Amino acid sequence: MAKIRIGLAGCGFVSELHMYAYRRVYGVDVEVKAVAARGEHVVEFAGRHNIPKTYRSFAELIADGDLDVIDICTPPNLHASMIIDAMRAGKHVICEKPFAGYFGREGDKAPIGKHVPKALMYERVLEEMAHTARRSRRPENSSCMPRTGSTRRP
């Protein structure tokens, strides 16, 4: 049976939950081989979970040729670009939260749900989705490209 090699993006609360879930997977050989996050806590997280590789950037994580899957455990406002970059790097992607959403912009008064009109939120979500769609179709805008010979498509 082939081993599925996973890289985690992030090492916070959600990553802890995912590590707990990976330990319970059966019928498939799964190994978390790498984790990427900013700050020193990534080293402690990796040690606690016996993860052999640590990276300080997402770009380093998705460039790791030993990984098959990237599990994105970061705040939702980072998901869209991380998904696209990981897929362009030839990786499969696990991401639970929204691919698009309105998470606020600089200058929005908090709480956003009370102070930013829903119509404006919707308009901005549509703009972001259109931007993401354009970006996902133009590999020349990415620093990552699919691996040569890969059958996966971005």
Side-chain angles (χ1 to χ4, degrees):
M1 171 187 318
K3 182 178 285 195
I4 298 173
R5 301 160 305 172
I6 298 172
L8 287 179
C11 63
F13 179 74
V14 172
S15 297
E16 293 286 352
L17 294 176
H18 286 215
M19 289 304 301
Y20 178 79
Y22 286 131
R23 285 192 293 273
R24 291 179 155 37
V25 170
Y26 62 92
V28 178
D29 192 3
V30 174
E31 180 183 10
V32 178
K33 301 227 8 138
V35 59
R38 295 178 292 176
E40 288 300 313
H41 57 287
V42 70
V43 174
E44 188 270 324
F45 180 90
R48 190 170 63 251
H49 294 288
N50 298 312
I51 300 171
K53 296 180 187 176
T54 60
Y55 296 109
R56 299 304 169 93
S57 76
F58 184 69
E60 290 175 305
L61 180 72
I62 63 176
D64 185 332
D66 290 336
L67 302 176
D68 303 305
V69 177
I70 302 298
D71 185 359
I72 298 175
C73 302
T74 59
N77 63 311
L78 303 175
H79 289 179
S81 64
M82 292 178 120
I83 291 167
I84 291 168
D85 289 345
M87 291 177 70
R88 285 196 174 145
K91 310 298 185 189
H92 295 278
V93 174
I94 297 171
C95 187
E96 294 181 3
K97 294 292 182 186
F99 184 67
Y102 186 74
F103 306 105
R105 291 189 179 167
E106 194 171 324
D108 286 347
K109 186 175 177 186
I112 296 164
K114 288 187 177 185
H115 297 287
V116 177
K118 304 298 184 266
L120 181 58
M121 289 183 192
Y122 182 69
E123 182 181 311
R124 289 179 175 171
V125 167
L126 291 178
E127 289 170 2
E128 180 62 28
M129 289 173 65
H131 171 75
T132 300
R134 285 190 305 274
R135 185 169 173 257
S136 68
R137 288 190 293 265
R138 290 189 273 158
E140 68 273 10
N141 288 344
S142 176
S143 60
C144 303
M145 296 296 295
R147 290 181 284 195
T148 305
S150 174
T151 59
R152 298 179 204 144
R153 293 181 47 166

